[in-house]
Amino acid sequence: MATIKDVAKEAGVSVATVSRVINNSPKASRASIDVVNTAMQKLGYRPNAAARALVNQSTQTLGVLVHDVSDPFFGTLVKAVDNVARDAGKHILVCNGYHDAQDERQSIELLINSRCDGLVIHSKALGDDELLAYANEVKSMVLINRFIPEIAQRCVALDNYKGAWMATEHLIRQGHSKIAYISSTHNIEDTAQRLAGYKAALAAYKIDLPTSYIEYGEPEGEGGEKAMTHLLTKSIDFTAVVAYNDFMAAGALSVLDENEIPVPEKISVIGFDDVLIARYIHPRLTTVRYPVQMMAEQAATLAIRLSRGEILEQKQRIFSPTLVQRNSVFNLSHLNQS
């Protein structure tokens, strides 16, 4: 990111002159204002004064960055933040990042420049160093579904690895050993953590499966359909599937239904997140609950506390997933015993 020295060099003026322009000093000439503003625009420089306004001036607004607000999971997140904000007499400003570094960066810049009192940021594409730079500048910024040790007290995260482990272990305890996995194609830490949890659970129970048991797709219904279609096309022998999320699980269920493969009698399916759809598809989906509403409420509360200058407790805020048992998993152990 550009510095005030870069702006001074580009404008051909001193750092002091740039400072006078930024701070609206009456000593700044019209010519200086023009050349400095042109340089700042060209370099994409944002004065730190905009970030300081997060603490010094209240706009009664919370900024929120999510992947895609049209996704019901993130809709729940935004609604939870909004409820907390309204209780505090604030409104929210929402941006979509689409798991793209440039979109996330531009969105965070927009929220900072909009002088939001606090920020709740769901970022998966930006690196730790860049997010730390923003967090150091914006003291009321809180990360959700992301953990960076240097700012642990300002992170609200979920143990994705544990959740996938739980899902896989549940199937194993129901007598399944030929367990396929439907993974997301998005290159984010959630994808890696959940896949690692699945593999680790298999290894812990000494189950060795080839890579053909893993398929990938976009983390939505259509992606689940394609992944399940590929699994069936390969004609591998599997009795259960762990899906990256509930939407992929729903897509997988639709393909099994189209191929007249009964669930859970022939193939069991387990999802992740426990979004609303999990309760109403047929069969009702066994899944891993992601407490997104509770996490978002805590993140918003932390952002508001930080905006008021409060000191947070030095503790980690990592939530544990829980298993929700419904009707999409069949107990093979009972069948084998009979």
Side-chain angles (χ1 to χ4, degrees):
M1 290 184 282
T3 67
I4 193 170
K5 291 182 179 178
D6 296 326
V7 174
K9 182 178 180 181
E10 176 67 28
V13 298
S14 68
V15 171
T17 298
V18 175
S19 180
R20 283 194 290 271
V21 172
I22 289 173
N23 291 291
N24 297 316
S25 170
K27 295 181 179 180
S29 67
R30 181 71 259 170
S32 296
I33 293 173
D34 290 341
V35 295
V36 169
N37 283 335
T38 299
M40 287 195 296
Q41 185 174 10
K42 179 180 179 180
L43 297 175
Y45 177 77
R46 174 176 40 79
N48 284 336
R52 290 197 299 271
L54 284 166
V55 174
N56 298 328
Q57 301 176 32
S58 175
T59 58
Q60 299 301 316
T61 304
L62 279 186
V64 187
L65 171 65
V66 296
H67 162 53
D68 184 350
V69 75
S70 70
D71 183 322
F73 175 87
F74 291 103
T76 300
L77 188 160
V78 170
K79 179 62 176 176
V81 173
D82 187 51
N83 287 339
V84 173
R86 285 179 176 273
D87 287 344
K90 301 179 186 294
H91 294 281
I92 63 173
L93 178 60
V94 183
C95 290
N96 294 317
Y98 302 114
H99 289 166
D100 177 83
Q102 186 61 18
D103 283 332
E104 289 185 357
R105 188 177 298 113
Q106 289 178 347
S107 294
I108 294 175
E109 295 282 345
L110 171 64
L111 294 173
I112 292 175
N113 285 332
S114 298
R115 302 191 323 188
C116 297
D117 292 345
L119 304 180
V120 175
I121 302 298
H122 183 284
S123 169
K124 291 296 181 180
L126 296 181
D128 285 1
D129 288 345
E130 192 163 0
L131 288 174
L132 278 172
Y134 283 125
N136 288 333
E137 183 180 5
V138 184
K139 302 305 181 183
S140 53
M141 172 175 149
V142 175
L143 298 180
I144 186 168
N145 195 24
R146 183 75 176 261
F147 180 78
I148 300 178
E150 291 87 343
I151 52 170
Q153 73 277 12
R154 292 161 64 185
C155 297
V156 180
L158 181 79
D159 192 336
N160 282 288
Y161 176 94
K162 181 180 178 180
W165 171 292
M166 290 171 58
T168 308
E169 184 183 51
H170 177 65
L171 291 172
I172 294 171
R173 289 184 172 181
Q174 301 304 306
H176 297 271
S177 58
K178 299 172 182 177
I179 305 169
Y181 185 78
I182 292 177
S183 183
S184 169
T185 53
H186 286 196
N187 185 26
I188 61 175
E189 59 183 357
D190 300 49
T191 301
Q193 291 167 353
R194 295 182 189 184
L195 181 56
Y198 157 78
K199 291 180 177 179
L202 293 180
Y205 284 86
K206 295 179 170 53
I207 299 173
D208 186 21
L209 297 173
T211 56
S212 57
Y213 273 72
I214 302 173
E215 271 297 334
Y216 297 84
E218 287 291 308
E220 55 193 30
E222 186 175 349
E225 290 179 358
K226 291 180 179 179
M228 178 56 75
T229 300
H230 291 159
L231 284 173
L232 295 176
T233 300
K234 289 189 288 191
S235 298
I236 62 175
D237 183 18
F238 64 99
T239 63
V241 176
V242 177
Y244 172 78
N245 65 19
D246 294 339
F247 294 106
M248 297 191 82
L253 287 172
S254 70
V255 171
L256 292 172
D257 181 62
E258 291 167 0
N259 286 273
E260 299 182 348
I261 300 174
V263 177
E265 293 80 7
K266 289 296 183 182
I267 295 181
S268 295
V269 178
I270 187 167
F272 200 117
D273 287 344
D274 194 30
V275 296
L276 189 62
I277 190 177
R279 306 174 209 173
Y280 299 111
I281 56 178
H282 181 77
R284 295 171 69 239
L285 186 65
T286 294
T287 186
V288 174
R289 177 168 294 158
Y290 189 128
V292 61
Q293 179 177 339
M294 189 181 304
M295 291 170 61
E297 288 172 349
Q298 183 168 124
T301 300
L302 290 175
I304 291 172
R305 289 179 58 194
L306 286 167
S307 73
R308 293 170 178 166
E310 295 183 28
I311 305 300
L312 300 182
E313 307 84 357
Q314 296 295 318
K315 67 176 184 179
Q316 294 186 3
R317 294 173 172 83
I318 300 179
F319 283 68
S320 288
T322 54
L323 184 70
V324 181
Q325 299 186 49
R326 295 194 178 100
N327 309 120
S328 62
V329 173
F330 185 74
N331 192 329
L332 280 182
S333 300
H334 293 166
L335 185 64
N336 295 334
Q337 290 172 1
S338 63

